[in-house]
Amino acid sequence: MTTETARDAEPARLGRKRDHSRDQDILDAALDVLAEVGYNTMTVDMVATRAKAGKATLYRRWSSKAELVVDAIACMKRPLPQERDGTYVPPDTGTLRGDLVAMVKPKAVTDSNRHLKIMIGVASMMSQEPQLFEALTAIMVKPRVESYRVVMQRAIDRCEIRPDIDVELLSSLGPAMAMYRAMYEQQAPSRESIIHLIDTVILPAVGLSAPLENADE
Amino acid sequence: MTTETARDAEPARLGRKRDHSRDQDILDAALDVLAEVGYNTMTVDMVATRAKAGKATLYRRWSSKAELVVDAIACMKRPLPQERDGTYVPPDTGTLRGDLVAMVKPKAVTDSNRHLKIMIGVASMMSQEPQLFEALTAIMVKPRVESYRVVMQRAIDRCEIRPDIDVELLSSLGPAMAMYRAMYEQQAPSRESIIHLIDTVILPAVGLSAPLENADE
DNA sequence: TGGTTTCGGAACTGTCGAGTCTCGTATATG
DNA sequence: CATATACGAGACTCGACAGTTCCGAAACCA
C-alpha cells in the first residue's frame, strides 16, 4: 500500500545504475508484510510481489531473508518531525503536562501502531537474532522512552517536579501500555488513551494533578 | 526438564488403557519448548523427544501442531494457590498496599516469567489464530488483571481509596510492565521491581503514598 | 544504434518440517 | 501363556519456502 500511487507515477526506473530509492521501496514492502503477517508467515515472494520486484532482485541486495528484515527495520524512516541523535525532542511548552500531551501527535500515534504491529510480528525472533533485537529497540523503543525522559528531566530542571522521581520507570510506562494494548486488547492505542494515562498515572506519580477539565491539545 | 526425575522414577506406563497423566507430560513438554524457542521454531519432533514419546503418539491425541499448542495453553496448570473462577483471590491484609504486595509471591513471579516467555513465543500467531489468542488471554492475562481488580475494589469498598479511580487501567499496569521488561530488557521482572512499581506508580495514582521505609513482605 | 547492465518473471534445487505409516516391544488382561 | 493394545522409534511422503539460475525486456550510454 504505502506509496503505491506515487511509485506507479514514476517512470519505470531501470537500466544501468542501481537505483537507491528502489531499495527503500523494497524495504517498505517488507515492513508492510511484516506488520500484516509477522516474520515467520512472511515469505520473500510476498515482499517481492508487493514491491513489484523479482525475487532475484532482493537477493542481489540482501543475502538472506533475515538480513532483509533487519535492514528494513534499521533503515526505517523516523516518523517524528524533529529529532536529534535519533530521539524526538518535543517542544518546551512550559509545563510537564503540556510537553507530554504535545508528544502525542496523531501522526506519532499512527506510526507507533505500525511499529507495534511489526514488533509483535518479530517478537519470537528477538531472542534468537540479537541483531534484530538491537535494531528493533534502537529504532522503535529507545527513541520513544528517551522522549519521555527528556521531557521529565526538563520538568526536574525547572523545579516543577521532585528530582528524585524514577524517570527510568515512568518513561517506560507509555510504551509498555501501548504494547500491552496492542497485544491483548488487539486495538490500536488511541491518542485519548495515552493522554488518559498521562493524567491518571504519570502526573500523580510525580506529584502533580491533572487539570479538572482537560482542554487536551 | 520439569518433572524429569519424577517421571523416570515411575514404572514405564504402557499397555492397555490410555494413560491420562501421559497427556499432561506431553503438554508440559510442549510448553517448555514453546517458552524456549517460540511457536514457529518449535517442531513436533522436539516436543516428542523432550517428552520421550513417539511423534505418532502425539498425533494419536492431537490432530495438529496448532491444536497441541492451544490445548497445552488451555490446560495449563494454574500456578497460584488459591483461586476462584480461575482468578487468584489474594488474602485481605487490611490495606491496599498489603494486598498488592501479598500478590507478589516469589512463586507467582517465577510462573509469571514462564508465561511471559510463552506469550512472546506465540505473539505473532495470536492475530492469525483466534483460538490461541483466547486461550492465552484467558489463562495468562485475565486472571492476573482480575487479581489486581479485586484488590482495588476491596480498597474502594473499605473506603481506603476514592471510588472513581480507573480500576481497569491501574489493574493492567503491572502485567503491562512485566511484558515490556520481558520483551525489551530481556530480563525477568523481579519481585522487587513489581513492588517498586506499586509504590511509585500505582499507590500515588490512587492517592496513597508508599511507606517511607518499606519492610516489604 | 548497438552494447551493456540491471531488471522482473519464472523455472529450478535443496532443505526442512508436518503429518503418516510400519514395526518390534512392552504391558496389561484373561 | 496367549492375545490385544498402546507404545517409542524411525522411515517415509509431500508441500512449502529459502535461495539460485536463466532469459527476454527495457533502459541507459557511447
Side-chain angles (χ1 to χ4, degrees), chain B residues 96-107:
Chain B
L96 176 59
R97 184 178 188 278
D99 287 1
L100 288 172
V101 170
M103 282 172 54
V104 195
K105 296 268 179 239
K107 174 152 178 26

Side-chain angles (χ1 to χ4, degrees), chain B residues 20-21 103 177:
Chain B
H20 194 68
S21 82
M103 282 172 54
M177 280 308 298

